[in-house]
């Protein structure tokens, strides 16, 4: 009990509780749509590196692994055609799988899920530390830690999404390391920060905005700072270490020659350009309306977080604008006029990155799909500005106990609702919608974009079927890949026939299509099948199974 009474131990108690939760539920989630490709990428680059050594035993194990991957998922794109993907998560997990010679698919994918979970949990701890430094408030930091993890869409992805959520983890740690460096400008802190800038860049190319914003940040300081040589030295050290770290760990840079160096960014804008169902209409991915990302964030984030975050951001913009307007035009510009403390300086850096992201989205507007998962790293800003506004409220009402108690009661209730929603949607929190969206409106959006329901559906079929089940697929998802989370001894109990429904006993669909189903009847369910099972959570349709009628 004395452990809990010490407020400095609260975070460790929460870390333990969250770890226990994770260890108890990590096997409940399905397999993500990109996990097989990422695992293949890890073994491709592990094979590349191991072949430079004399570790013949590992070479033979890796060769078998790669052959099995090619046989099991022959449709996956060749990794050599997509060398720009980062290896920060995939290569180490492939190495662990190789060293321990893990051969049961369930085991090596669950291992990846657990590793991704604990990396994210570590990033949440760094987020807690960042909030504690910025606001000097232990309880606000604890609040930030909780909602950073338990926002439903984020929580629903922290096990299987070792691409987008992994990037959010690296990005969050990167932001903490900036704060640590800016508050204590040592060479060691600068080098660690530049290392994570490199890791952010290789994990997702949009991560390059982190070092670019840092360079802009230093240049603003250079405008009027008397320590010109010192800041120039910082810039040089940062750039040299950043590019060195980037080259050491990112294979994409190893393969560049002079001709494709000038087209460095071109591969990152490759898009398959499938048809996307959004707001009741079908669009080609590269021609989605500009509202795609804002709408998805708005409808799939808890309402109070959206409101608090918007108000916190508005407050921040207002403060920066006020600082700027107070600068006298007839005097020399002083960068310190934009901030009055190190904490405000840290806020300004976050603002630079956030504005750069918004500018990039509205000018380039990349081809998107799967909701806003490619922008899940924005959760850092969403939760950070939520904390900003919460802090403002408590400062405003710190002398009004009644109002403050009402605010505390409100936050307690909305977080209870948050936990209730997570429990209700389990294990499909990645399909969460807030109460702004009605049952009818939910049918106007793609739901199971990560195709997690494949495993759940196959388990249902295996549970009910006493013989070999022949299963068709009425959606764009590769259903057969879901076998990886089914015990290998049961694989012979299922046969997959894709859209060849003639011989199928069951047809699965999660209503994800790459075509316009109004005009293209590729996935139309034959009349000889009836709706056998429909899995719905909170009026959100996850998947359906159709069964052939008995003649």
């Amino acid at each position: 009990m004395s452990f809990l009474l010490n407020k400095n131990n609260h975070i460790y108690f929460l870390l333990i509780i969250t770890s226990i939760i994770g260890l108890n539920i990590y096997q409940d989630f399905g397999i993500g749509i990109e996990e097989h490709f990422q695992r293949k990428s890890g073994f491709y680059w592990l094979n590349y590196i191991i072949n430079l050594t004399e570790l013949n035993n590992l070479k033979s194990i890796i060769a078998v692994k790669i052959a099995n991957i090619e046989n099991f998922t022959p449709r996956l794109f060749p990794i050599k055609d997509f060398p720009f993907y980062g290896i920060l998560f995939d290569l180490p997990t492939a190495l662990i799988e190789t060293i321990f010679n893990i051969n049961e698919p369930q085991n090596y994918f669950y291992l990846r899920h657990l590793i991704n979970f604990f990396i994210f949990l570590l990033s949440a701890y760094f987020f807690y530390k960042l909030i504690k430094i910025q606001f000097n408030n232990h309880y606000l930091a604890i609040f930030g830690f909780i909602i950073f993890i338990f926002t439903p869409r984020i929580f629903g992805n922290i096990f299987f999404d070792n691409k987008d959520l992994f990037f959010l983890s690296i990005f969050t740690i990167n932001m903490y390391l900036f704060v640590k460096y800016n508050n204590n400008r040592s060479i060691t802190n600068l080098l660690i920060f530049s290392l994570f800038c490199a890791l952010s860049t290789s994990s997702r190319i949009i991560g390059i905005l982190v070092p670019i914003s840092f360079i802009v940040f230093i240049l603003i300081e250079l405008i009027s700072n008397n320590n010109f040589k010192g800041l120039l030295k910082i810039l040089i050290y940062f750039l040299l270490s950043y590019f060195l770290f980037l080259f050491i760990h990112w294979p994409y840079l190893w393969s560049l020659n002079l001709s494709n160096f000038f087209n460095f960014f071109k591969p990152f804008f490759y898009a398959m350009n499938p048809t996307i169902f959004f707001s009741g209409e079908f669009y080609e991915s590269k021609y989605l309306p500009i509202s795609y990302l804002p709408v998805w964030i708005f409808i799939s984030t808890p309402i109070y977080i959206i409101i608090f975050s918007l108000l916190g951001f508005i407050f921040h913009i207002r403060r920066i604008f006020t600082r700027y307007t107070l600068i006298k035009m007839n005097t020399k510009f002083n960068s310190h006029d934009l901030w009055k403390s190190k904490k405000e300086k840290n806020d300004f850096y976050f603002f630079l990155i956030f504005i750069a992201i918004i500018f990039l989205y509205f000018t380039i507007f990349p081809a998107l799909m799967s909701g806003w998962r490619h922008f899940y790293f924005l959760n850092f800003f969403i939760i950070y500005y939520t904390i900003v506004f919460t802090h403002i409220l408590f400062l405003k009402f710190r002398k009004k106990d009644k109002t403050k108690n009402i605010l505390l009661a409100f936050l307690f209730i909305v977080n209870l609702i948050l936990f209730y929603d997570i429990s209700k949607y389990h294990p499909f929190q990645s399909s969460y919608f807030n109460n702004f969206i009605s049952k009818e409106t939910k049918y106007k959006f793609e739901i199971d974009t990560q195709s997690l329901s494949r495993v759940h559906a196959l388990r249902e079929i295996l549970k009910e079927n006493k013989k070999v089940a022949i299963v068709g697929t009425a959606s764009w998802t590769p259903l057969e890949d879901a076998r990886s989370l089914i015990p290998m001894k049961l694989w012979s109990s299922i046969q997959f026939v894709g859209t060849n429904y003639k011989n199928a006993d069951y047809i699965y669909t999660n209503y994800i299509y790459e075509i316009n189903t109004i005009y293209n009847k590729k996935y139309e369910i034959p009349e000889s099948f009836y709706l056998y099972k429909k899995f719905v959570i909170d009026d959100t349709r996850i998947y359906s199974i159709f069964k052939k009628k008995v003649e």
Side-chain angles (χ1 to χ4, degrees), residues 94 159 256 281 288 374 409-410 417 478 508 510:
F159 294 98
L256 287 179
E281 301 287 342
L288 283 165
H374 295 104
F410 169 78
I417 295 171
Y508 156 87
N510 62 347

Side-chain angles (χ1 to χ4, degrees), residues 235-245:
L235 206 53
I236 292 171
Y237 275 145
F238 173 77
L239 289 172
L240 288 175
S241 57
Y242 167 72
F243 285 115
L244 176 63
F245 290 137

Side-chain angles (χ1 to χ4, degrees), residues 302-324:
I303 296 170
Y304 89 93
I305 290 179
I306 287 289
I307 295 171
F308 275 37
S309 186
L310 283 172
L311 293 173
F313 181 63
I314 290 169
F315 168 81
H316 192 202
I317 285 186
R318 183 172 172 270
R319 187 177 69 187
I320 290 174
F321 182 75
T322 302
R323 295 275 190 268
Y324 180 76

